[in-house]
Amino acid sequence: MNIQEVLSVKVKEAVKSIFDKDLPNVEFQPTRKDFEGDITIVVFPMLRVVKGNPVQIGEQIGAYLEEHIDEVAGFNVIKGFLNIVINDSFYLNFFNSISTIPNYGYVQESDDAVMVEYSSPNTNKPLHLGHIRNNLLGYSVAEILKASGKKVYKTQIINDRGIHICKSMVAWQKFGNGETPVSTGLKGDKLVGNYYVAFDKAYKEQIADLVAKGIDRKVAEKEAPILLEAQEMLLKWEAGDPETVTLWKTMNGWVYKGFEVTYKNLGVDFDTLYYESDTYLLGKDVVAEGLKKGIFFKKEDGSVWIDLTEDGLDEKIVLRSDGTAVYMTQDIGTAIQRVKDHPDVNGMVYTVGNEQDYHFKVLFLILQKLGFSWSKKLHHLSYGMVDLPSGKMKSREGTVVDADDLMADMTQTAANISEELGKLEDYNEEEKQTLYQMIGLGALKYYILKVDPKKRILFDPEESVDFQGNTGPFIQYTYARIQSILRKAESMGINISEDAKVSELHSKEKELIKQLQLFPETIQLAADNFSPALIANFTYDLVKEFNSFYQQVSILGEVDEAKKVLRIQLSKKVAQVIQDAFKLLGVEVPERM
């Protein structure tokens, strides 16, 4: 048991012994820096059970704890806060118990499986800034869930069919002259995206021509020849026309190769892929079954709906009058199919922007009404938009920021700032490029993940690569600094394999150990809340604590050998936890900077 668990048991015991009352729970918080103590018990919530003066209650409980717990060295009460002083030996024993544990804080994988969906792009254009936040969030949450002891399947559903895909195909047929990613030197997703833009341009020109001929704009928008061609192509695709299907496979194949490059550069991966072309008919049989059971109802026009008004929502269509599926039908079917494919899955996390909040409320409720036990463990990882300062990094269209361009821009920003700092004289060009990419992508990932997913982000590239403050590079730099200390310690022949035998701790050593103690519970909390921000901000607090320790105590210059060994061991453990925490965010750390 950690000290909080020990205290919790003993506080309840104290309340029973002194006041003959049963205390349901004990509330803790860190002791404020201006008071003596290591952990604070909040007395005020106890007043619901124990009547009396909070200071006197605190004094009585404090005296009981000091008498009954060896680790309690003293206490003081400030208003309704009981500050407990824990003796140094407790922290030293704790540190010695974790100092050589690899992956400290991580829990071994259990049979409790969860599927995390993220990315889920369309195959008619490249990934953009919004996809970056989606991918980083989904990947990080998957890694955090894994570290918390869950078995995790990472997945995406690729939107590879529909009118938008046909638009790129029609434009390529009309304007492409047979060009390919090989003949143009363009990434496949960029090439196909260009034809989606080309379609839109031709479509607008045709509308303008029709309007100029006196046709109503709304009619022109529906009757522009190029749109009719795209609609005709979709019908051919649905009918399995060989020529159309071959072109569809070819162009989608180009896009997938392009996506692979982006995913590799971003450092995200997937275990299972689903394609909308395989899933778009799923769910219709479930709707038919639900109709028999009275979960759904049919309207006069033959369309099928569900009435969720009693649940505070509204009526929702699940099948059109012509029998075709809507997105909701497909999502119902896909969720069920995923559990069939992975029978151990007991929950799912959908990483999708907050504009779909209502859709997922309805989806989860429908699956519950259909009686699937796993539906109670479905979570919509909803997130806000990412904005950029105006005028920065606009794409060719001037509206969407391309993911590849953004990553390249971040690497260049890191290179510019690193060159200005001028600390890379002994690096060769390849080492510099690797480091710039590590810093640039680390800055991007950390800046996005340190913010609560629900909040909108204003992403400032320059600010994110700052080597001071709550940034990825600041934390990476601290890690590299510790590696430098460890290399020097090794060259001095200092043996740190034995437990350090010190009789008391410096206050800065104690604070650092207290921060390390929080890592396992932070992982569990981040998993429970699907929030990488908790890991990011824990890591920043750890790094701040280490830098304060580094500035106030001597490490390699310490004359007392036992203290020196402890400080090197502490530094090493801090570095390991930084690396393990950053791994959960998908961020790499450099051995030197």
Side-chain angles (χ1 to χ4, degrees):
M1 284 201 290
N2 64 31
I3 194 64
Q4 198 161 305
E5 289 167 332
V6 172
L7 285 169
S8 187
V9 169
K10 290 295 181 183
V11 168
K12 289 176 185 177
E13 201 178 277
V15 171
K16 185 68 177 170
S17 172
I18 301 164
F19 307 105
D20 195 27
K21 298 285 184 184
D22 293 311
L23 191 65
N25 49 34
V26 183
E27 193 177 307
F28 295 96
Q29 64 184 40
T31 304
R32 277 174 46 179
K33 299 280 186 195
D34 43 344
F35 299 129
E36 186 191 9
D38 300 296
I39 189 164
T40 295
I41 297 161
V42 187
V43 179
F44 294 114
M46 299 180 194
L47 300 180
R48 288 193 287 268
V49 176
V50 182
K51 304 302 175 195
N53 181 308
V55 175
Q56 288 174 351
I57 293 167
E59 294 279 357
Q60 287 172 282
I61 293 171
Y64 185 95
L65 297 178
E66 192 171 21
E67 186 184 338
H68 290 84
I69 304 176
D70 293 341
E71 292 86 355
V72 173
F75 71 92
N76 61 83
V77 181
I78 310 288
K79 295 181 178 173
F81 298 94
L82 169 57
N83 304 318
I84 304 291
V85 180
I86 306 297
N87 62 34
D88 288 358
S89 63
F90 167 79
Y91 289 106
L92 194 57
N93 291 338
F94 166 78
F95 177 70
N96 286 334
S97 74
I98 67 154
S99 65
T100 56
I101 295 176
N103 298 123
Y104 159 68
Y106 284 34
V107 174
Q108 201 168 353
E109 186 184 286
S110 68
D111 295 329
D112 189 8
V114 63
M115 185 172 272
V116 181
E117 178 199 289
Y118 54 96
S119 196
S120 303
N122 295 329
T123 59
N124 62 327
K125 53 193 171 186
L127 301 173
H128 54 68
L129 177 58
H131 288 116
I132 284 186
R133 187 174 197 189
N134 182 303
N135 274 273
L136 296 182
L137 268 176
Y139 177 84
S140 181
V141 164
E143 291 298 313
I144 290 165
L145 287 169
K146 224 187 278 184
S148 77
K150 295 263 197 286
K151 183 179 182 181
V152 175
Y153 298 103
K154 300 171 186 170
T155 193
Q156 60 171 326
I157 182 158
I158 297 164
N159 303 305
D160 64 341
R161 62 166 285 280
I163 191 69
H164 50 294
I165 310 298
C166 293
K167 286 176 181 179
S168 294
M169 290 161 64
V170 164
W172 183 84
Q173 278 184 328
K174 293 179 94 62
F175 316 122
N177 300 315
E179 68 178 19
T180 67
V182 173
S183 72
T184 59
L186 277 175
K187 271 177 86 232
D189 53 334
K190 299 274 200 294
L191 181 69
V192 172
N194 287 347
Y195 283 103
Y196 187 66
V197 173
F199 176 94
D200 192 55
K201 186 181 172 204
Y203 175 55
K204 283 173 179 165
E205 285 170 0
Q206 288 183 1
I207 292 168
D209 287 345
L210 291 170
V211 169
K213 288 173 182 168
I215 292 170
D216 180 74
R217 174 167 284 279
K218 285 190 175 169
V219 175
E221 284 169 358
K222 287 178 183 172
E223 294 183 0
I226 198 165
L227 177 65
L228 298 179
E229 284 179 67
Q231 289 168 343
E232 177 65 24
M233 183 175 275
L234 181 59
L235 292 173
K236 283 183 178 177
W237 179 87
E238 287 177 347
D241 173 62
E243 190 184 331
T244 305
V245 170
T246 300
L247 176 62
W248 171 76
K249 283 182 178 173
T250 300
M251 291 182 72
N252 274 349
W254 295 345
V255 173
Y256 299 144
K257 282 188 177 162
F259 284 170
E260 276 171 26
V261 173
T262 307
Y263 290 142
K264 187 166 182 255
N265 289 338
L266 196 55
V268 302
D269 59 4
F270 304 91
D271 302 309
T272 316
L273 301 180
Y274 287 86
Y275 297 88
E276 195 181 323
S277 54
D278 296 328
T279 65
Y280 80 106
L281 298 176
L282 291 178
K284 291 171 82 169
D285 54 340
V286 182
V287 169
E289 193 61 34
L291 201 52
K292 283 183 200 168
K293 291 178 181 174
I295 295 164
F296 303 113
F297 70 93
K298 198 175 267 192
K299 290 198 174 179
E300 285 175 15
D301 64 356
S303 59
V304 180
W305 295 68
I306 188 166
D307 185 358
L308 301 172
T309 49
E310 283 187 12
D311 301 280
L313 304 177
D314 57 12
E315 291 184 351
K316 185 74 183 177
I317 188 168
V318 289
L319 219 55
R320 293 190 188 96
S321 55
D322 61 2
T324 55
V326 291
Y327 270 114
M328 187 60 73
T329 329
Q330 182 182 312
D331 282 351
I332 292 165
T334 304
I336 296 163
Q337 186 61 46
R338 284 171 173 173
V339 179
K340 283 180 186 168
D341 295 342
H342 304 275
D344 54 346
V345 162
N346 190 31
M348 288 180 230
V349 179
Y350 293 82
T351 313
V352 182
N354 57 15
E355 70 279 0
Q356 294 292 329
D357 284 355
Y358 186 78
H359 175 86
F360 284 101
K361 274 184 191 166
V362 172
L363 173 64
F364 298 168
L365 195 52
I366 290 174
L367 288 165
Q368 279 178 38
K369 287 182 184 294
L370 288 167
F372 295 103
S373 57
W374 44 262
S375 64
K376 290 184 174 63
K377 291 191 177 177
L378 298 178
H379 179 77
H380 174 207
L381 178 51
S382 174
Y383 62 89
M385 292 271 292
V386 183
D387 301 307
L388 288 160
S390 58
K392 287 199 178 184
M393 296 189 303
K394 285 194 172 180
S395 70
R396 286 175 297 280
E397 292 88 352
T399 50
V400 179
V401 178
D402 180 276
D404 295 315
D405 291 348
L406 177 58
M407 285 191 280
D409 192 280
M410 290 303 301
T411 301
Q412 189 54 52
T413 302
N416 297 343
I417 291 173
S418 300
E419 293 289 350
E420 280 172 29
L421 294 171
K423 294 181 179 179
L424 304 174
E425 294 84 359
D426 55 340
Y427 282 60
N428 64 38
E429 206 49 48
E430 190 182 340
E431 287 172 331
K432 281 184 181 178
Q433 285 309 315
T434 302
L435 182 63
Y436 297 154
Q437 189 171 25
M438 205 183 283
I439 296 170
L441 286 183
L444 170 68
K445 292 177 180 185
Y446 185 82
Y447 198 97
I448 285 176
L449 291 174
K450 74 177 181 180
V451 178
D452 182 279
K454 292 183 182 66
K455 290 183 179 170
R456 198 166 180 143
I457 295 177
L458 178 67
F459 177 68
D460 187 330
E462 294 282 337
E463 189 183 298
S464 74
V465 188
D466 194 342
F467 282 77
Q468 296 297 321
N470 190 3
T471 67
F474 172 67
I475 294 167
Q476 287 172 320
Y477 182 74
T478 302
Y479 176 86
R481 168 185 273 171
I482 296 172
Q483 295 312 303
S484 173
I485 292 167
L486 298 177
R487 284 191 293 271
K488 282 178 191 166
E490 194 176 357
S491 68
M492 291 163 71
I494 301 167
N495 177 16
I496 59 166
S497 60
E498 302 280 322
D499 286 353
K501 309 276 192 301
V502 298
S503 56
E504 60 179 336
L505 292 171
H506 188 286
S507 62
K508 287 293 161 188
E509 293 166 341
K510 198 173 181 180
E511 289 304 320
L512 208 44
I513 294 169
K514 279 158 72 173
Q515 188 64 28
L516 287 170
Q517 261 191 322
L518 298 175
F519 190 42
E521 67 183 74
T522 303
I523 290 176
Q524 294 301 322
L525 207 56
D528 292 344
N529 290 280
F530 306 96
S531 178
L534 296 174
I535 298 289
N537 290 299
F538 160 83
T539 314
Y540 177 56
D541 288 341
L542 177 64
V543 163
K544 275 196 302 184
E545 205 58 68
F546 177 81
N547 283 318
S548 177
F549 160 80
Y550 177 79
Q551 284 156 12
Q552 293 193 42
V553 304
S554 177
I555 299 175
L556 299 178
E558 173 57 56
V559 290
D560 183 312
E561 198 62 26
K563 287 182 181 177
K564 187 193 295 181
V565 167
L566 174 66
R567 288 169 188 176
I568 296 166
Q569 288 174 337
L570 253 177
S571 301
K572 185 177 182 181
K573 195 66 197 175
V574 168
Q576 283 176 351
V577 170
I578 291 170
Q579 186 173 34
D580 289 342
F582 259 29
K583 189 180 164 197
L584 301 180
L585 305 179
V587 180
E588 292 182 272
V589 283
E591 294 302 303
R592 56 195 190 117
M593 269 170 87

